[in-house]
Amino acid sequence: MSWRLRVTHTTEYRYASPVTQSYNEVRLTPRSDRRQNVVVSRVETHPATRAYRYTDYWGTVVTSFDLHAPHTELSVVGSSVVETGGEVAPTGGATWTDLRGEDVLDRYTEYLGWTDYVPRDRELAAKARELRRGLTPVDAVHAAASWVHSQMTYRQGSTGVHSSAADAWQAKEGVCQDYAHLTLALLRAMGIPARYVSGYLHTRADGAAKETVQGESHAWIEAWTGGWWAYDPTNAIPIGPRHVWVAVGRDYADVVPFKGIYTGGAGAGLTVTVELTRLA
Amino acid sequence: MSTMTSNGRGDGELFRGYLNPARPHAGAYDEMFSADASVRSAYRSLHEVLAPSDVADLSARSDALGRAFVDQGITFSLSGQERPFPLDLVPRVITASEWAKLERGIVQRTRALEAFLADVYGDGQIVRDGVLPRRLITSCEHFHREAAGIVPPNGVRIHVAGIDLVRDEAGTFRVLEDNVRCPSGVSYVMENRRTMARVFPDLFARHRVRAVGDYAVHLLRALRNAAAPNAADPNVVVLTPGVHNSAYFEHSLLARQMGVELVEGRDLFCRDHTIYLRTTEGERQVDVIYRRIDDPYLDPVHFRPDSVLGVAGLANAARAGNVVIANAVGTGVADDKLVYTYMPEIVQYYLGEKPLLPNVDTFRCWLPDERAHVLDRMSELVVKPVEGSGGYGIVFGPEASAKELNALRRKVRGNPRGWIAQPVVQLSTVPTKIGDKLCPRHVDLRPFAVNDGNFVFVLPGGLTRVALPEGSLVVNSSQGGGSKDTWVLAPRSSTVESELSGPGLVQAVPLDGVATEQGPELTASQQQQQQQQ
Amino acid sequence: MLARNAESLYWIGRYVERADDTARILDVSVHQLLEDATVNPDAESRQLLSVLGITPPDGTTLDVWSLTELVAYSLGNAASICASVTSARENTRGAREVVSTEMWECLNSMWNAVPERQRYARQVGPHAFFSFVEERAAMFAGLADSTMSRDDGWRFLVLGRSVERVDMIVRLLLSRSGDKASSPGWVTVLRSAGAHDTYLRTYRGAMDASRVVQFLLLDRLFPRSVFHALSQAEQCLEHLYHAPGRRVGATAEASRLLGKARSDLEFLRISELMENLPRRLKSLQATVRDVGEAVSQQYFHSVPWVAWTNTEVGA
């Protein structure tokens, strides 16, 4: 079972007064791996710029560009065609003892540590202990993701870009970013190396060919239990042909799709649209 | 000597009570006197000149030193005030053979640190091979993931290194810490020498001291070598935070001596991943930036967005290979005080050699056994924060109260990665003018190494900082430290003597003694007539 | 050259000249206040302050001492001699690599010596301080002359100095424009501009107010005349303008302003000079201000520190 998907991610800024200088970095380019094959991918900006592309510490393709002509509108379009594979099964075999081993602790130290988005939290740590009791690491990942899915209510606008796992847990609601951070907090408390994945999700499970749907930027997690494998806690489903991944990191901060600074302008208005089309 | 006086003071008066057994840290190595009060060979002729001299004469010279510094504007800023860095008039002497050893050790260390940085920001082979724990690197505050994959054209990241050395009770030089971010102080090395030669010429007449004045030549060569090979005549600039920075004098001195522009962040801008300089005739591309701004302020795109000192887009311009930043971004991971404790492993791993310069024994609080030892023996140790410079946050166990020690224990337990501990190293002492006497005061030494990609040059000399309060072991200028001119003596028979000279520019012209011309003047008889009138 | 350094050099030129000329103007006024018992010190002081562009303090009666305090020593007053010395020194400190070491040490040791010279002048009278400032300014000019390359940096320094000189000579004349033609004050005006000997030789000893004005405004050979300073500033701009192929008039605003002011003086009928002197002086002052702005727009593209705003998009 494999899909061919076209993803078009458009970000548009409008400024009340002209911006005189801006420097930006976008992470909109998916990468090929065993599960997905990137057929073509490009990033375009309007006004046009000379972009520079590089691969960052986490392996993500970054497009960097700057603008010096005064402008009141800036749009960035990332479009790619990607072939995705079938559903991902857990890879595992590591026991709790393996996970506590010096070797694993050191190799995955960055995916076990606490960050601003995934902070150490006493309450969540207690919950993590309770969830993992009697389970293998693989099952514990499922248990944590399902628990997050059952506790949280999906609501847009209830949390901001800067909310942490602890904030989301207090609010009991949020978006995919919060689901992912909360799951990471539980997994890291259990001692399972876990990382944040950003990407796209086709919203129809039975997506018809040639039909364009309004999709969304999406986020899920990957856990290491003898091997890395991904799971989508927001929808409580395994990663399948509908998922296209773009970047992985410790948390959202490492994979921010659009980051930059500007000067001279004021009052930004912003529209983000993601369109996904199943081509085959 | 001309300084000999006949007022009855003289022999030994200056040194009276110098080796008082009751002085603090009496076990420290004194560089002029051995324990039996005989003068060590390195200082023999210095002692011969100083011992019979008159206090008033020394004080006059000392005042002249101070005035010269103020008039030349050789100052550092402390909380907004410009102050001269006190220069003591007794130089610190290092013999040729001692220096040869130090030089080899510093070159070795610099090479190892370079290899380490290339590896850390590349494949991380040392971690894969299990020589260092990955955690050591990833937990380091100055490990900048933004610098991963930035490869400088000639591979050099540490264009300038300052290695802080101390001399223990046995007189052995040990490395106290490495400085490979923006080590400062070299301007004082040069200015101390220039000023000393002006006010104390008779001392130089009796010694063969190696020159330090050509530092800028080496620095400029290293910076030009660092440029991408396509830049035929690289445009080098020095980037300073501005006139209010504590080391502004040094930034300006280096820019002047190299003959390059001294710029602030606002004089530069980045367009399409290329850095330009704003000039009266429009923009001019910049190839190499010798920056004296810390990483967090360098580029608001990647680091602190509120930084007004840096240049937006600089990091990616360096990544694109259009500009070279010296020292490179992220070098701080190599001078982390915890990474420092692994230097023997690092030297062995990359160079396959034993370290020539030993470290100061250090306990790492992040290893459980060593932490236990530190917590247990805290009152005998110096506990230092891994992050921090300028001597801030250091706790001397023997001087701390029980309450302070307990507070420190809590801090160490709370953040073991953040602390190291060392035995109280009794830094060596050198005679220093305090009031009307010469007294032993503790010193360290910061030699400077410049890496041009082919060759690591170590400036023969270095910054000797001296702790002026009695018994103090903290030499930082921000904590009441002064400095000394540091003399590396030339070997007796050597090629070094011609460091600053060389073959004449053209063949020497035979001098034929042409007298200077004079204007018309009244003859003696004319003058006489005029007077008689 | 670096735009920020060009701007610094221009201002070093201006500040040093300002310190020098303010000392000269003040010297004349103090001298007159002391010598002439008929003048009202308060009114006279207030007039001088307004000519120098300093807001006179309310509620106090001014005399020689408080005037000197305000114009010479006060650091709170941006136009005082000490403030100008400090500004000149700060600008030099920020542009050390384009200023010779000798020039820097001259200004730096001048700045360092100010407190001591002030103390001394308070004991023995202000003239000691004025001549200290004048000597140091002369030394600075001499060092600049003998140690600077005649490149753009030199031109910016001389441009600043010339522009300031026009401004200050105009102020000096304004400060005396109410005097009677026979007033002995005119001799001191000449002295303060260092023009006394030259004037006497030029006019063979005839002391006459309109000739003094004529000499200070129009003389083509005396370096402290307004005409000479304007021509020098104009020449500097001419050399700084590197774009070739100029066909019509002066394209740069600063050159146009200077050229116009210079030719106004150049082709002035001598008999008309005294007719509307104050108006003419005022218009010269306005020209100086406009030239400063035009030069800054054309050459000093240095930008203020930029404040950045973060762009970030939610998931």
Side-chain angles (χ1 to χ4, degrees), chain B residues 19-42:
Chain B
L19 286 177
N20 177 5
R23 68 188 191 271
H25 307 298
Y29 181 87
D30 188 78
E31 300 196 3
M32 186 178 268
F33 296 101
S34 55
D36 61 2
S38 61
V39 180
R40 297 185 200 272
S41 64

Side-chain angles (χ1 to χ4, degrees), chain B residues 202-224:
Chain B
D202 27 356
L203 284 187
F204 286 87
R206 313 248 322 221
H207 293 82
R208 301 211 312 156
V209 182
R210 294 183 60 186
V212 293
D214 58 346
Y215 175 79
V217 175
H218 294 273
L219 179 59
L220 183 62
R221 188 184 61 231
L223 294 173
R224 289 177 62 98

Side-chain angles (χ1 to χ4, degrees), chain B residues 73-95:
Chain B
I74 304 171
T75 53
F76 72 97
S77 306
L78 188 58
S79 3
Q81 289 281 321
E82 277 177 56
R83 305 187 180 188
F85 191 24
L87 168 60
D88 183 69
L89 51 72
V90 183
R92 196 245 188 113
V93 183
I94 297 172
T95 60

Side-chain angles (χ1 to χ4, degrees), chain C residues 21 27-29 43 46 52 56 104 107 113 123 129 150 166 178 182 187 191 203 230 233 249 254 266 282 284 309:
Chain C
D21 293 348
D27 204 0
V28 181
S29 299
R46 280 173 196 279
L52 289 175
W104 156 248
L107 276 184
Q123 284 170 12
F129 185 74
R150 296 307 192 261
V166 173
S182 58
V187 178
R191 282 224 172 90
Y203 291 101
L230 280 175
E266 192 168 8
K282 286 280 178 202
L284 274 169
T309 316

Side-chain angles (χ1 to χ4, degrees), chain B residues 181-247:
Chain B
R181 277 173 275 167
C182 304
S184 67
V186 74
S187 56
Y188 300 113
V189 177
M190 293 184 280
E191 291 300 323
N192 284 357
R193 177 66 52 81
R194 212 160 66 91
T195 313
M196 280 293 281
R198 275 195 209 167
V199 305
F200 232 145
D202 27 356
L203 284 187
F204 286 87
R206 313 248 322 221
H207 293 82
R208 301 211 312 156
V209 182
R210 294 183 60 186
V212 293
D214 58 346
Y215 175 79
V217 175
H218 294 273
L219 179 59
L220 183 62
R221 188 184 61 231
L223 294 173
R224 289 177 62 98
N225 278 4
N230 275 353
D233 181 19
N235 183 14
V236 178
V237 299
V238 178
L239 177 61
T240 172
V243 274
H244 299 293
N245 184 265
S246 62

Side-chain angles (χ1 to χ4, degrees), chain C residues 238 241 243-253 255-256:
Chain C
E238 188 74 22
Y241 191 83
R246 189 171 66 185
R247 301 280 288 267
V248 182
T251 39
E253 177 68 4
S255 307
R256 195 186 65 75

Side-chain angles (χ1 to χ4, degrees), chain B residues 31-341:
Chain B
E31 300 196 3
M32 186 178 268
F33 296 101
S34 55
D36 61 2
S38 61
V39 180
R40 297 185 200 272
S41 64
Y43 282 84
R44 197 158 292 147
S45 46
L46 187 63
H47 182 260
E48 275 169 22
V49 179
L50 286 175
S53 52
D54 177 25
V55 172
D57 174 53
L58 285 194
S59 296
R61 291 179 198 263
S62 179
D63 290 348
L65 283 182
R67 246 195 337 273
F69 268 36
V70 169
D71 280 347
Q72 292 168 41
I74 304 171
T75 53
F76 72 97
S77 306
L78 188 58
S79 3
Q81 289 281 321
E82 277 177 56
R83 305 187 180 188
F85 191 24
L87 168 60
D88 183 69
L89 51 72
V90 183
R92 196 245 188 113
V93 183
I94 297 172
T95 60
S97 60
E98 281 170 337
W99 180 255
K101 257 185 268 170
L102 288 183
E103 189 174 20
R104 278 199 303 279
I106 292 163
V107 170
Q108 179 195 51
R109 219 167 160 100
T110 311
R111 289 199 188 288
L113 289 169
E114 279 285 4
F116 174 69
L117 282 173
D119 193 17
V120 162
Y121 288 112
D123 296 339
Q125 207 58 44
I126 194 169
V127 171
R128 282 166 210 242
D129 289 346
V131 176
L132 296 187
R134 180 183 298 271
R135 269 174 294 180
L136 173 66
I137 317 277
T138 59
S139 63
C140 176
E141 191 182 306
H142 299 289
F143 172 56
H144 292 310
R145 294 171 175 83
E146 293 85 349
I150 300 183
V151 183
N154 72 341
V156 176
R157 287 180 173 79
I158 307 172
H159 303 81
V160 181
I163 310 289
D164 285 359
L165 303 169
V166 297
R167 226 167 167 179
D168 65 11
E169 292 83 343
T172 312
F173 278 102
R174 290 174 179 269
V175 178
L176 186 65
E177 63 183 53
D178 304 291
N179 297 279
V180 295
R181 277 173 275 167
C182 304
S184 67
V186 74
S187 56
Y188 300 113
V189 177
M190 293 184 280
E191 291 300 323
N192 284 357
R193 177 66 52 81
R194 212 160 66 91
T195 313
M196 280 293 281
R198 275 195 209 167
V199 305
F200 232 145
D202 27 356
L203 284 187
F204 286 87
R206 313 248 322 221
H207 293 82
R208 301 211 312 156
V209 182
R210 294 183 60 186
V212 293
D214 58 346
Y215 175 79
V217 175
H218 294 273
L219 179 59
L220 183 62
R221 188 184 61 231
L223 294 173
R224 289 177 62 98
N225 278 4
N230 275 353
D233 181 19
N235 183 14
V236 178
V237 299
V238 178
L239 177 61
T240 172
V243 274
H244 299 293
N245 184 265
S246 62
Y248 179 77
F249 167 72
E250 176 158 317
H251 307 161
S252 125
L253 180 78
L254 291 176
R256 267 181 295 129
Q257 295 205 338
M258 293 192 288
V260 304
E261 301 283 0
L262 177 68
V263 304
E264 295 176 13
R266 58 185 167 144
D267 299 325
L268 300 176
F269 70 97
C270 172
R271 190 179 58 228
D272 292 332
H273 308 94
T274 308
I275 304 292
Y276 297 94
L277 186 64
R278 293 176 213 272
T279 76
T280 48
E281 286 148 55
E283 54 209 39
R284 192 149 63 95
Q285 195 181 332
V286 173
D287 301 298
V288 181
I289 299 179
Y290 178 53
R291 53 82 178 240
R292 297 297 296 262
I293 295 182
D294 293 337
D295 288 348
Y297 294 93
L298 205 52
D299 182 354
V301 177
H302 282 96
F303 302 105
R304 292 179 61 149
D306 61 338
S307 166
V308 294
L309 304 177
V311 185
L314 181 54
N316 280 348
R319 186 186 296 282
N322 294 332
V323 70
V324 175
I325 303 173
N327 292 354
V329 178
T331 45
V333 69
D335 64 17
D336 182 89
K337 289 201 183 74
L338 192 55
V339 172
Y340 153 87
T341 63

